[in-house]
Amino acid sequence: MAEEKKLFKVTIDNITLDVEPGTTILNAARQIGGEVVPPAMCYYSKLEGSGGKCRTCLVEVAQGSTADPRPMPKLVASCRTTVMDGMVVKNITSERVVDARNGVVEFLLLNHPLDCPVCDQAGECHLQDLSYEHGKEGTRYEFKRRTFPKHDLGKYIQLHMTRCILCYRCVFTADQLTNKRVHGILDRGDHAEIATYIEKSLDNDFIGNVIDVCPVGALTDKTFRFKNRVWFLKPVDAHCNCSKCSGKVTLWYRGDEVFRVTARKDQYGEVEDWICNECRFEKKKTSDWIIEGPREISRHSVISQGHYVGMEKPKEPLSEVLNGRQPKLLMDIHSISEVNKPGKQLSMIDGPAHSTDFQSETK
Amino acid sequence: MQPLTNKAKPVDRSPMTFVESLYLWNIAKGMMITLKHFFKKKPTFQYPEQKRPFSKVFRGLHILNRDEEGRERCTACGLCAVACPAEAITMEAAERLPGEEHLYREEKYAAKYEINMLRCIFCGLCEEACPKDAVYLSETFAPANYNRKGFIYGKPDLLIPHPVNEPEAYQQALGNRAKATQN
């Protein structure tokens, strides 16, 4: 007979629950859910070994365990600290934690350029959310922000090294999903950067997942680059029969165009299933997919703006009143407007659109 | 029924006398009212020679701003479009090519930018949302047009004149309000 597992009793923000030994504080908090969960920029539950880099998940341990009830002297990273029996953890109830988190956000933003209007990650960026909640209005940093020579990572992935917060998630992704990692973090300290050392493109079948994994806009989808803003797109769950991956994805629609394909992300921004490059970059037609339905987006997210879930469209009564005649449209916007022309498929351009793309189309 | 106020007066239906039927006194009374207005301050503005002064917070036609070197400020971030309650703004972004640095301020720019003035309610939320100081509501209003299609304003209609190449037109486009705040 299997021995009954001893569960550890842990109290997080005055909520007590029993968790299995070996669970980290962060995962215990995630079992509770809600505001108790510390934010995490580098920890990724699907990646082994991730966490412990960004320090945003710092929590205060007010009581180490029942056996040793002394508080831990410093704030601990909740993603790397496992729970002990009788541990009492303070997250948002502790002033020290909130203060420390504000400081961490300020540190993360030291070198992070505030180019959110340009960045494709804006709207689904974890650092944006975090700094919105914890950040200060201005920066106290007076020096030049670090810059890097540009690296080309191939036709699929765009690297913006200045935006990187060195969370190592993409390194773990490449290690654990692909058989050979070709990119990594070079140099150290202020010079540390993501690169391939010798200019090499990332072209493994699963390397596209680094885009989903990146908490900021350092690694973005080149096929989606500057095409549209995420909050104008409508996420739709879809799947396909893919021989390489699960094929479960989210399609991001604007009108009838699929602007980008991503993996499905849960409430913590972590993907549910990894998807392959073919699904992500090559299948940008509705006919490639079996649509399941609109994806639920948290209503606090800017992506949910203008998405009326469960909306009932009122019936157009005019044709009934007019004995079946359709109302005469005085102006079809597409006959005048240059934007979103029906015949033109911006999503079908490989990379970002350039002035040359628009010149050829006006002729 | 009992009247609720004492303002009700019975209508005098007695037949008019001869003097009354000449209406002389009544005509004079009416003319007096007309004459009085000759000497009053006239509220009419002789548009377009004369223009009504706008209030300081008047919100008129949009302009797309340029920086001092004449580069377009707009990066097509979409914040104006998402803030727009009337959904009047649409845009398409493009990446700046090498050699276009003198045209666009950032690596991303609005290749197409359109405001549907038929939809626009001139609330000024786009101006407030803009992180790049790119869109402003000016002191002019959208001129009348015979066709609806004349109200779809594209980038050529919206962009402010180039401050280096056309300094006079640029100064004019800045308007009085901008000058007053600059000094």
Side-chain angles (χ1 to χ4, degrees):
Chain A
M1 217 176 117
E3 212 175 307
E4 198 175 306
K5 259 189 190 167
K6 193 187 177 301
L7 291 179
F8 280 175
K9 195 182 276 300
V10 58
T11 308
I12 303 170
D13 280 348
N14 304 324
I15 302 167
T16 308
L17 81 161
D18 295 314
V19 292
E20 280 188 21
T23 319
T24 59
I25 299 172
L26 185 84
N27 277 332
R30 282 189 181 184
Q31 285 177 27
I32 301 169
E35 284 186 18
V36 177
V37 186
M41 298 295 292
C42 63
Y43 174 74
Y44 209 78
S45 62
K46 273 111 195 153
L47 296 173
E48 219 172 289
S50 65
K53 309 263 188 312
C54 68
R55 321 306 288 183
T56 37
C57 63
L58 288 178
V59 290
E60 183 183 337
V61 177
Q63 187 184 324
S65 65
T66 342
D68 181 9
R70 289 176 300 171
M72 289 195 188
K74 289 181 189 173
L75 302 181
V76 294
S78 62
C79 62
R80 284 306 193 105
T81 313
T82 51
V83 295
M84 302 294 279
D85 196 21
M87 191 182 247
V88 176
V89 179
K90 281 177 168 183
N91 178 21
I92 45 172
T93 48
S94 160
E95 255 177 57
R96 269 172 78 203
V97 169
V98 174
D99 192 45
R101 207 164 279 160
N102 290 353
V104 168
V105 173
E106 202 178 347
F107 267 121
L108 286 178
L109 289 175
L110 278 190
N111 277 310
H112 192 83
L114 296 180
D115 61 349
C116 304
V118 176
C119 182
D120 276 329
Q121 189 87 0
E124 51 179 14
C125 174
H126 289 238
L127 189 57
Q128 211 178 19
D129 296 342
L130 193 72
S131 48
Y132 191 78
E133 275 166 38
H134 298 282
K136 290 199 176 69
E137 221 173 281
T139 178
R140 290 183 282 175
Y141 192 60
E142 292 169 354
F143 307 99
K144 240 184 148 178
R145 291 177 183 214
R146 57 179 190 168
T147 49
F148 298 95
K150 281 212 167 176
H151 281 280
D152 191 11
L153 294 187
K155 63 171 190 167
Y156 288 140
I157 298 164
Q158 177 77 36
L159 171 69
H160 277 276
M161 193 49 222
T162 46
R163 293 176 191 155
C164 180
I165 57 164
L166 296 171
C167 69
Y168 283 72
R169 276 183 187 178
C170 58
V171 179
F172 287 116
T173 311
D175 264 341
Q176 288 165 32
L177 292 185
T178 67
N179 34 23
K180 193 165 179 254
R181 172 161 67 87
V182 291
H183 79 285
I185 300 207
L186 309 180
D187 296 339
R188 59 181 185 175
D190 214 20
H191 299 285
E193 63 171 323
I194 302 264
T196 50
Y197 193 59
I198 307 164
E199 288 286 307
K200 210 171 178 185
S201 65
L202 305 185
D203 49 8
N204 189 282
D205 269 344
F206 280 87
I207 202 68
N209 286 304
V210 295
I211 296 165
D212 282 342
V213 153
C214 186
V216 291
L219 294 161
T220 50
D221 190 337
K222 218 175 208 173
T223 60
F224 176 63
R225 185 165 157 81
F226 298 165
K227 295 278 177 68
N228 220 316
R229 308 296 286 176
V230 285
W231 55 81
F232 294 132
L233 304 176
K234 298 212 187 323
V236 169
D237 277 348
H239 66 268
C240 73
N241 292 322
C242 181
S243 52
K244 293 178 206 152
C245 65
S246 67
K248 288 180 183 165
V249 298
T250 304
L251 305 180
W252 296 76
Y253 272 100
R254 176 94 200 246
D256 298 328
E257 278 181 80
V258 179
F259 267 95
R260 70 166 181 170
V261 182
T262 63
R264 296 179 190 176
K265 290 186 185 177
D266 62 11
Q267 53 174 322
Y268 303 114
E270 297 181 0
V271 301
E272 288 169 8
D273 284 298
W274 306 110
I275 61 168
C276 65
N277 277 12
E278 198 191 329
C279 287
R280 185 187 299 271
F281 300 117
E282 308 293 348
K283 296 181 179 176
K284 297 235 171 146
K285 279 187 198 134
T286 309
S287 55
D288 296 331
W289 299 98
I290 302 153
I291 308 288
E292 287 168 22
R295 175 135 194 95
E296 287 249 333
I297 297 287
S298 157
R299 68 185 184 90
H300 300 290
S301 166
V302 69
I303 301 172
S304 70
Q305 73 80 32
H307 297 189
Y308 310 108
V309 179
M311 179 186 67
E312 270 182 46
K313 231 181 176 181
K315 225 173 69 189
E316 176 67 70
L318 259 176
S319 59
E320 246 172 61
V321 178
L322 295 171
N323 297 328
R325 278 178 293 147
Q326 287 299 318
K328 193 185 162 197
L329 274 179
L330 287 171
M331 183 181 81
D332 177 20
I333 187 75
H334 291 300
S335 64
I336 303 133
S337 175
E338 292 283 315
V339 183
N340 299 330
K341 280 203 163 177
K344 177 185 74 182
Q345 297 264 298
L346 202 59
S347 56
M348 285 295 152
I349 307 173
D350 277 340
H354 294 111
S355 52
T356 45
D357 292 314
F358 291 103
Q359 272 161 20
S360 59
E361 148 221 317
T362 45
K363 270 171 199 169
Chain B
M1 199 189 123
Q2 202 76 30
L4 294 173
T5 59
N6 53 4
K7 283 177 185 168
K9 263 195 252 172
V11 180
D12 182 15
R13 291 190 195 281
S14 58
M16 283 191 278
T17 60
F18 175 71
V19 181
E20 269 174 349
S21 66
L22 285 177
Y23 287 104
L24 275 174
W25 171 240
N26 287 329
I27 289 170
K29 225 164 88 178
M31 287 307 241
M32 277 300 288
I33 291 170
T34 313
L35 259 172
K36 225 160 58 186
H37 279 279
F38 284 2
F39 305 103
K40 274 196 175 163
K41 197 176 161 244
K42 288 167 199 70
T44 316
F45 281 91
Q46 296 298 326
Y47 189 82
E49 291 84 25
Q50 249 179 3
K51 274 180 188 154
R52 209 179 120 214
F54 286 133
S55 98
K56 275 184 184 165
V57 291
F58 181 82
R59 300 184 295 260
L61 209 61
H62 308 71
I63 48 165
L64 277 178
N65 212 359
R66 294 179 192 267
D67 66 358
E68 316 78 50
E69 294 166 44
R71 298 173 298 182
E72 288 170 23
R73 279 179 171 272
C74 179
T75 64
C77 69
L79 287 181
C80 49
V82 78
C84 184
E87 302 189 352
I89 305 177
T90 45
M91 67 188 70
E92 262 167 22
E95 191 185 36
R96 183 179 68 184
L97 286 173
E100 291 180 334
E101 281 87 357
H102 64 289
L103 293 174
Y104 312 109
R105 199 181 158 87
E106 312 254 350
E107 63 177 329
K108 179 187 172 196
Y109 67 94
K112 305 273 172 67
Y113 189 94
E114 264 181 20
I115 302 181
N116 187 342
M117 291 297 171
L118 295 169
R119 299 202 72 146
C120 180
I121 56 170
F122 299 98
C123 62
L125 288 186
C126 46
E127 187 182 10
E128 257 173 65
C130 185
K132 293 284 175 189
D133 273 358
V135 65
Y136 274 101
L137 270 65
S138 64
E139 291 167 304
T140 49
F141 38 78
N145 206 307
Y146 286 108
N147 288 313
R148 278 166 198 249
K149 63 181 176 200
F151 289 104
I152 314 294
Y153 279 54
K155 243 174 78 176
D157 309 306
L158 293 167
L159 266 177
I160 198 165
H162 200 286
V164 183
N165 298 349
E166 314 155 85
E168 278 171 31
Y170 176 74
Q171 282 304 323
Q172 203 190 339
L174 276 185
N176 301 322
R177 194 167 42 182
K179 272 178 219 151
T181 49
Q182 265 174 8
N183 299 330

